[in-house]
Each structure stands twice: as C-alpha cells, then as structure tokens.
Amino acid sequence: MISSAPLVRRLPPAYRPLFVPGPFRRLLPALAVSDLGDGMSAVAVPWLALQLAPPGRAGLFVGAAVAAYVLPGALGALLLGRWLRGLPARRLIRADAWTRAVLLGAIPVGWAFGVLGPWLLLVLLAGSSLLHGWGASARYALVAEVLPAGRRLAANALLSTSGWVAMIAGPALAGTLTAAVAPAWVLGLDALSFAVLAVGAGRLSAVPGAVPASARDRAEGEAVPRGEGLRVLRTRPELLALLALTWLFNLAWGPVEVALPLFVGQELAAGPGLLGAYWAAFGVGAVLGALAVGMLRRGAVRRVLLGIVAAHGVALLSFAPPGPAVVSVAGFAVVGVVYGPYGALSLGLFQDLTPPPALTSVLALRSSVLMTASPAGATLGGPLTAVLGPRAVLVGAGLAMIAVAGCAVGAPVLTGRLGRIARLARGKSAGPTSGARTRAGAGG
C-alpha cells in the first residue's frame, strides 16, 4: 500500500492515512491540477486585460477583469442557495468545474477567431466564476463526506497547502508561457485543469465508502434552522469582530492585485515573467508561513492575527523606495510569509467559538461575506491606480492594513471605556431613584 512507501512514512503521522487508497486520495490529484490552473490565472487574467484594455483605461479595465473573475462567485454564494443548497458536494464541484472549463475555454477560442474584445472577456470571466463559491466550499464538505472526523483537519490543511503550492508554480509557469504565447492560451490551460477536476469529481460518485451527501445535508438541515449562521454571529461579538477584521484586511489587499501588474509593466518596464516571480515569491513565503503555524500557541491567536495584519502592511512598504525589483520581490515574499497562517488561525477561532451544529452554516456565511472583500478592493484599485499610480497604491494598501490593525487593537479599549462610562451613568441615574423608592416603601 502507498501508506508504507518511504516517502509517505516521512510525512507527519496525521497526513499518512490520507494517502491510503480511497476517495480522498483519488480526487486529490484533480484538485491539485485545478489549483495549478487557478494559480496561472493570477498572471494570465490581468495580463490579458492589459492587452485588451481600451486606450488610457488600463488600470480601470484590469481592476474590472480581476473583479469579474471573483466577485460573481460571491453573488452566486448569496443568491443561489435556494437551488444549490441541497445538492451533493461532488455535484457542486462538478457543476462549478464544468462552468469554469466551458467559459474559460471560450476565451482562447475567441482570441483565435479575433472576436475577443474587452466586454466579451468580462462576460466570460464573470460567468466562469458564478458557481465558484459553491464549488470551493463543496471541497471541504466533500472531505466531511469521505473521511472520518479525526482525519478532516489534516485533509483541510492539505487542501490549503495545495493552493499555496499552486501560487508558487502557477504564476511562474504562466509567466514563462505568456512570454511565448498569448495569455488567452494560458487561460485555456486553466479551463483544461477544471475539466480534469470535473471528470475526477464525476468518477468519485462510484467510489465505495463515500457517505451520501444528500443524507448528510438533510440531517444538518434538520439540526440547524435556516439563518442560524447569522444568529450565531449576532450573539458572539468576538466572531463578528473577527469577520470584520478579515473583511477589511482582504479589502485592503484587493488594490494590490490591480496595482502589481501595472507596477511591473509600467514602472519597471518588465514583462509577465517578473510578475510571475512576484507571485511565486508570495507563494513560497505563504507555504513557509503555513508550515510555521503549528508552532504558535493557541492562547496567543488573537494577538497573532492582529500582528499578521500589521506585518503584512509593513512588508508592502518595500514597494515605496525606487530601486531594483529584487527589493520588492523579497518584500512580497515576506508578505506571503506573514499571510500564510492567517486562514488556518482565523478558521480555528471560528471552529472553537461556534456551536458544532451551527458550524457549517456559520462558515458558509463567512465565506460568502469574505468573497466580496478582495473584489471590492480590486474595483477600487482601478481608479486609484489611474489617479495615484501603481507604486502609491501598493504602499497605500500597506498603510491601510497597518491602520486596520491599529484600529482593531484600539477598538476593545475604546469599547471597554465606553461600557464603563455607560455603567457609571446608569448607576448614578439609578441610585437616587432606588433610594426614593426605598423611602417611599418605608413611609407607606
């Protein structure tokens, strides 16, 4: 068996059972291939948008293209639940993958026939992302279907690591390919990667041992009333504050995705290869940061999250001084290092503070809310870059993150002081009234 192979024996014990023959191991290669395709799109989408942008509107159009590739997924997650909530996870993965494959595959076809214009690109990108919020969430639901509870945390970490590794290889590969062929053809490879995932998810339905998703969904639907996720957030201000912090963090990150390709192309006068190097450096840093998360103490998680936001902003200040690209590439690698642990730590807090019956509902709500942040920032990044320039936007994003962390540190202090003032005010107003009532009672 594979679990006895020398390479697998070198893995941490928690990961070894995942490589025993079974549904998860069978689907994992297809998931990794689609992650690689998504990694290539980080370079291909903005670079193709630069080539198709109307004259004088490069920043605006790149921002629109980046937002179109992500934002409809958030809308789909919020608006399509009535029709998609009860579908098995593997069907959601397959539907999202085929949608991506067909619509992204139309981009190189349109390019080859000379009919791919700015508006058609935006429509195809937006359509391809419509179901992606459901497809991405269904990956983790599928883990719960095919693995026992004791192996799910390791499987979730493995899926996250696949995404970060794709952020290393995908942009570097896309940068190399885009130097030789049009970025539209790179998006064609992205489409092919999702076709591989669609086929893999389709084959999974015949794998013995998979727990029927529909039965699981019905059981959870009976245990958790509709709207429970929002109700839990309302009664747990610490979760609501963490969601707000993460949303603002991602909002400040959005303009970076627009400004970085413009910074490479305009201020450094370089090509897609350097843009790929930036994203590869970020991915390497993120993998290292994610591996280091196990050394953190659980009691310090809240302070670590705030430190990550602030350090992320400080690292982006490496774009401020004019100089060789190696300085900002190194700074972007540090950005990845400090960001790598953030997702696992914040999700861990949600898992610790949420009642188990409501966890799925809360995490789904969290995902749909957070999916709006980075695209909203990218939409703002377009006009900001056009007015201020890409270097100023990159530095401004860093300063915004530092400000968010500072406000998050100060908010509990301010809230506590206001609470004490309110309690004192209530005490002063209640004191005479209480005494009057006592005297009245004694006199009666």
Side-chain angles (χ1 to χ4, degrees):
M1 292 178 64
I2 289 183
S3 60
S4 63
L7 180 61
V8 175
R9 286 202 301 267
R10 295 192 182 98
L11 295 174
Y15 292 96
R16 295 172 192 167
L18 302 179
F19 292 90
V20 172
F24 180 77
R25 197 198 74 177
R26 188 170 181 177
L27 187 62
L28 187 59
L31 293 171
V33 168
S34 69
D35 285 339
L36 180 63
D38 255 356
M40 291 192 293
S41 70
V43 171
V45 168
W47 210 258
L48 181 59
L50 275 176
Q51 294 186 359
L52 296 177
R57 297 185 178 180
L60 291 171
F61 188 70
V62 171
V66 171
Y69 193 61
V70 180
L71 187 56
L75 297 177
L78 292 171
L79 301 178
L80 299 180
R82 177 181 178 182
W83 299 277
L84 301 179
R85 185 180 293 111
L87 293 180
R90 63 178 180 274
R91 288 185 61 187
L92 289 172
I93 294 173
R94 191 164 66 243
D96 170 49
W98 278 127
T99 301
R100 287 273 210 186
V102 171
L103 294 180
L104 290 178
I107 291 176
V109 174
W111 177 272
F113 284 95
V115 297
L116 184 66
W119 287 108
L120 180 57
L121 175 65
L122 293 181
V123 169
L124 292 174
L125 290 174
S128 73
S129 69
L130 186 61
L131 299 181
H132 198 52
W134 289 96
S137 299
R139 297 184 179 199
Y140 294 92
L142 189 65
V143 167
E145 291 179 15
V146 301
L147 292 175
R151 299 180 185 176
R152 292 171 191 167
L153 181 58
N156 291 341
L158 195 59
L159 292 181
S160 298
T161 302
S162 173
W164 287 125
V165 171
M167 282 299 299
I168 302 170
L173 179 59
T176 302
L177 292 174
T178 307
V181 300
W185 297 109
V186 178
L187 286 176
L189 293 177
D190 188 11
L192 182 61
S193 75
F194 279 100
V196 171
L197 176 58
V199 172
R203 294 173 58 199
L204 188 66
S205 60
V207 175
V211 179
S214 57
R216 182 181 299 276
D217 290 340
R218 285 195 298 269
E220 290 184 352
E222 294 173 359
V224 181
R226 184 174 295 182
E228 181 70 14
L230 184 58
R231 190 154 41 245
V232 169
L233 289 181
R234 286 175 176 172
T235 58
R236 284 167 172 76
E238 60 272 30
L239 289 182
L240 197 59
L242 177 57
L243 182 60
L245 172 68
T246 307
W247 194 90
L248 291 172
F249 186 21
N250 291 347
L251 178 71
W253 171 256
V256 174
E257 298 182 356
V258 178
L260 185 60
L262 295 171
F263 175 78
V264 172
Q266 295 177 2
E267 299 208 15
L268 298 181
L274 181 58
L275 180 60
Y278 274 100
W279 285 113
F282 177 90
V284 171
V287 169
L288 295 176
L291 291 174
V293 70
M295 296 183 289
L296 297 174
R297 293 178 301 173
R298 295 180 63 86
V301 169
R302 291 172 178 82
R303 282 176 287 177
V304 170
L305 288 174
L306 293 176
I308 286 173
V309 176
H312 201 281
V314 172
L316 281 175
L317 300 184
S318 62
F319 286 91
V326 65
V327 175
S328 51
V329 169
F332 212 53
V334 175
V335 169
V337 169
V338 297
Y339 180 73
Y342 190 90
L345 290 172
S346 61
L347 278 170
L349 280 181
F350 268 84
Q351 291 166 340
D352 290 343
L353 300 176
T354 304
L359 182 58
T360 302
S361 180
V362 169
L363 291 181
L365 178 61
R366 173 188 180 273
S367 176
S368 63
V369 170
L370 293 182
M371 285 180 69
T372 66
S374 185
T379 303
L380 292 174
L384 287 175
T385 304
V387 173
L388 302 175
R391 186 189 299 272
V393 170
L394 290 167
V395 174
L399 294 175
M401 292 174 188
I402 296 172
V404 166
C407 291
V409 170
V413 177
L414 178 61
T415 302
R417 289 180 179 176
L418 291 176
R420 286 193 294 272
I421 292 173
R423 286 192 295 271
L424 288 173
R426 286 196 299 268
K428 290 180 179 178
S429 61
T433 303
S434 175
R437 287 176 179 172
T438 302
R439 287 191 296 270

